[in-house]
Amino acid sequence: MGSLAGTARDYALLAQGRAQGVLSRIALAAFIGVTTLFLAPSLIVLGWFGAVVAGQGLDRLVFRHMDQHPDQMPSRGYRMAMIAATALNTLIYSGIAVYLWTAGGEIGRMFAIVQVAGGLLHVSLHMHPVREMLIAAVTPHAIYFLGLPLWYGLSHGAAGAVVVFIGGLLYLMHLAIAVRHSKATTDALEDARVEAVRERERAERASAAKSDFLAVISHEIRTPMNAVVSAANLLRRTRLSTEQREHVSMLIDAGDVLVGLLNDVLDFSKIEAGKMTFERARMALQPRLGAVVRLWEPRAHAKGLRLKLVLDDSLPEAIITDPLRLQQILFNLMSNAVKFTDEGEVRLDVRLDASRTRLIAAVSDTGCGIAPERLERIFASFEQAEAGTTRRYGGTGLGLAISRRLAELMGGSLSVDSTPGQGSRFTLELPVEVSGAGADVETTADPAALSLKGRRVLVAEDHEVNRRIIRLLLEPFGADLTLVENGEEAVRAAAESAFDVLVLDMQMPVMDGLSAARAIRAGSSVNARTPIVVLTANAMDTHRDAWAGVGVHGYLTKPINPEALARTLHAACTPAGQDAPLTLARELASTG
């Protein structure tokens, strides 16, 4: 340090150490006193011990304020009081050495030197963060340590005492070097601690910035995607030829994949933060697997590739797993296979293992293959097999990293075998449960089964195109729609009329959906307990957590899935839906 005074933190640490060491110093003084009584019994020893106890009490009174206010830099006057208290206590504590030198004989003098040397070592290590305190503590000890043998040698003509004096000088020199090194180490550790704190703060700011960026990107992409995917779903309801229906199905599948790619980025952030969650639902195998293959047919055919889906005869109709994550992994594997294969075929083989508890899906190709030393690199984030891969084929190298982590988090594995120039085979193994006979989850909602006839639905959506899409999607189900443009209009409409369900967007001008929901819940209108369904382009976990505190029946993200929307509204309008808000709030809070 450039000055004698330390920082507020240094003084606080000293005050804390002084407070914690009071009892141990008194106990050590008692031991020294008892030993001295054996060597040279006298009431002087008892008086010395009483002075030590009184000095420690004074020391505690002086340092208490610093101990209670560790963030305040002590004033100059207060620092002088601490210095005086420290010097006085040291003077008293080692004062017993004078009595031992004069009345304790040869053994007493040896004990006195050891006692003072121990005191010097203790205060040097304890007080070194603040130089002025170190000087105040060391000086009385040093006077005793050097002065007593020098005085005794000169007054008694004892050459040995002079040798002890010289040894004391050497001891002080070594102690000074040790203190310097200790202080340098302490300063280095403190600098490292401060740098670690700064690094953590920078990491937290970077993480927050990343989350904000992802939230904005997610919202801005989902909004136009909603129009594309919803328009395709509306088009599928019209009279179409077989070829047109295939085109629309391809468009819908592509929209689902684009949304899946967007979710990849969000998933990667969840995986990094340890917040990834999974669902268990019934999945019809053939439709889902067929959709994955059908999506890549145009690109494969354009490259002259054969695309095959081989399903084992023993496969059940449906399994219990996380359908979205399974399809996401297979999509990534198919994408790579088609991308890196210029001729030959890409094949997806799916079967169950002998125990029928694990699904084994293998994607093989006749592409360029991967060198053995590069196999594991392809599963690292933003890594690809070769430096020129991105230039030639594009991509970020994120898909395989997410796929392996998803497989592992689901209790499975993702491995690869490859021969350069001959192709690669990626094998996915996932634990699954064979589903019994039941309704196919892939079916399209039937307006008669999910009827909203006579149900009054309030929809708050600021985007004109989205309002039109919602009307076109829900009118066939018989819903009586009231559409408003922002949260303030929603609060006003909820105060004037009773509704069966409220559909709120999150990000709107004037008043956002979250504020509107809170206002409706807090009011005394007839809709204070009406089920709320969130329909938003905000898909981050932080957004879901914010809605969990309000209590909502459902949380749907754009692009709109017509069947999911109709099913959620139908469920909300049933008597059980009236009790759903608080229950779902707990679910949202726990699952994100």
Side-chain angles (χ1 to χ4, degrees), residues 214 260-273 275-277 324-325 328 402 406:
L214 290 177
L261 290 174
L262 177 61
N263 288 335
D264 268 355
V265 180
L266 302 182
D267 288 345
F268 185 66
S269 298
K270 288 182 184 179
I271 291 172
E272 282 188 319
K275 296 181 178 179
M276 175 62 69
T277 58
L324 175 63
R325 301 307 175 191
Q328 181 180 358
I402 292 176
L406 287 176

Side-chain angles (χ1 to χ4, degrees), residues 61-275:
L61 287 174
V62 171
F63 280 91
R64 178 179 297 172
H65 178 78
M66 192 71 240
D67 194 27
Q68 294 174 345
H69 302 85
D71 298 328
Q72 295 181 4
M73 182 66 187
S75 64
R76 181 173 178 78
Y78 185 33
R79 294 202 304 271
M80 294 302 296
M82 288 190 288
I83 290 172
T86 300
L88 177 61
N89 268 285
T90 307
L91 193 67
I92 294 172
Y93 204 86
S94 286
I96 193 66
V98 177
Y99 176 72
L100 286 167
W101 268 88
T102 57
E106 191 70 26
I107 296 177
R109 288 190 288 274
M110 292 176 60
F111 184 74
I113 283 294
V114 172
Q115 183 259 332
V116 177
L120 272 169
L121 180 61
H122 172 75
V123 298
S124 297
L125 296 178
H126 175 56
M127 295 289 189
H128 75 81
V130 183
R131 198 183 306 175
E132 59 185 8
M133 297 293 291
L134 176 64
I135 294 172
V138 166
T139 300
H141 282 311
I143 291 173
Y144 289 130
F145 191 63
L146 298 177
L148 286 173
L150 183 62
W151 164 78
Y152 188 82
L154 294 176
S155 61
H156 292 77
V162 177
V163 174
V164 173
F165 170 78
I166 296 173
L169 284 176
L170 291 174
Y171 177 82
L172 288 177
M173 291 172 61
H174 285 294
L175 190 60
I177 294 172
V179 168
R180 187 180 298 114
H181 288 169
S182 178
K183 187 176 187 307
T185 301
T186 301
D187 290 344
L189 290 174
E190 176 62 15
D191 291 342
R193 185 192 68 84
V194 172
E195 183 58 31
V197 170
R198 290 174 179 168
E199 187 65 29
R200 185 175 68 249
E201 290 174 348
R202 285 194 292 266
E204 290 173 350
R205 288 195 297 269
S207 178
K210 181 181 71 173
S211 296
D212 291 342
F213 173 76
L214 290 177
V216 172
I217 290 298
S218 175
H219 182 274
E220 295 306 314
I221 292 179
R222 286 174 188 276
T223 298
M225 277 295 298
N226 181 56
V228 174
V229 175
S230 298
N233 277 294
L234 290 170
L235 185 60
R236 184 165 61 177
R237 293 181 179 178
T238 63
R239 282 175 165 266
L240 299 172
S241 66
T242 301
E243 184 179 4
Q244 289 172 330
R245 187 165 295 278
E246 289 178 356
H247 292 165
V248 170
S249 295
M250 192 178 302
L251 179 61
I252 292 173
D253 289 341
D256 290 341
V257 169
L258 286 173
V259 175
L261 290 174
L262 177 61
N263 288 335
D264 268 355
V265 180
L266 302 182
D267 288 345
F268 185 66
S269 298
K270 288 182 184 179
I271 291 172
E272 282 188 319
K275 296 181 178 179

Side-chain angles (χ1 to χ4, degrees), residues 325-514:
R325 301 307 175 191
L326 173 56
Q327 192 171 15
Q328 181 180 358
I329 295 172
L330 293 179
F331 166 79
N332 285 332
L333 298 181
M334 292 293 294
S335 172
N336 281 344
V338 173
K339 181 190 300 183
F340 295 111
T341 303
D342 292 328
E343 59 182 16
E345 71 175 23
V346 172
R347 176 171 171 150
L348 171 59
D349 292 89
V350 184
R351 62 183 176 86
L352 290 182
D353 69 347
S355 66
R356 297 182 65 80
T357 60
R358 295 180 75 84
L359 181 75
I360 300 175
V363 177
S364 55
D365 62 65
T366 56
C368 57
I370 307 166
E373 67 273 12
R374 299 182 181 273
L375 281 178
E376 284 306 309
R377 284 185 55 188
I378 64 174
F379 291 108
S381 303
F382 304 105
E383 287 277 358
Q384 292 190 332
E386 297 181 6
T389 298
T390 300
R391 242 181 355 259
R392 181 178 178 186
Y393 296 103
T396 63
L398 191 59
L400 286 177
I402 292 176
S403 297
R404 170 171 275 190
R405 290 294 292 125
L406 287 176
E408 292 172 347
L409 291 171
M410 294 170 71
S413 63
L414 178 60
S415 58
V416 59
D417 292 308
S418 185
T419 302
Q422 297 183 23
S424 305
R425 180 181 178 89
F426 288 82
T427 303
L428 170 69
E429 292 192 27
L430 288 180
V432 297
E433 180 183 342
V434 175
S435 175
D440 193 333
V441 297
E442 308 297 327
T443 56
T444 301
D446 180 6
L450 300 179
S451 175
L452 297 173
K453 187 174 183 179
R455 300 296 188 179
R456 301 202 63 206
V457 181
L458 173 64
V459 179
E461 166 62 61
D462 64 305
H463 201 287
E464 182 180 355
V465 173
N466 287 340
R467 289 197 301 274
R468 181 182 178 188
I469 287 172
I470 292 172
R471 181 183 294 278
L472 293 172
L473 289 175
L474 293 182
E475 280 183 343
F477 294 94
D480 181 5
L481 296 174
T482 298
L483 289 91
V484 298
E485 298 183 13
N486 55 63
E488 186 178 273
E489 292 182 7
V491 173
R492 190 181 308 123
E496 295 173 354
S497 304
F499 292 93
D500 294 291
V501 62
L502 312 177
V503 180
L504 303 180
D505 189 9
M506 186 170 184
Q507 192 169 311
M508 294 183 290
V510 184
M511 177 185 285
D512 62 86
L514 191 58

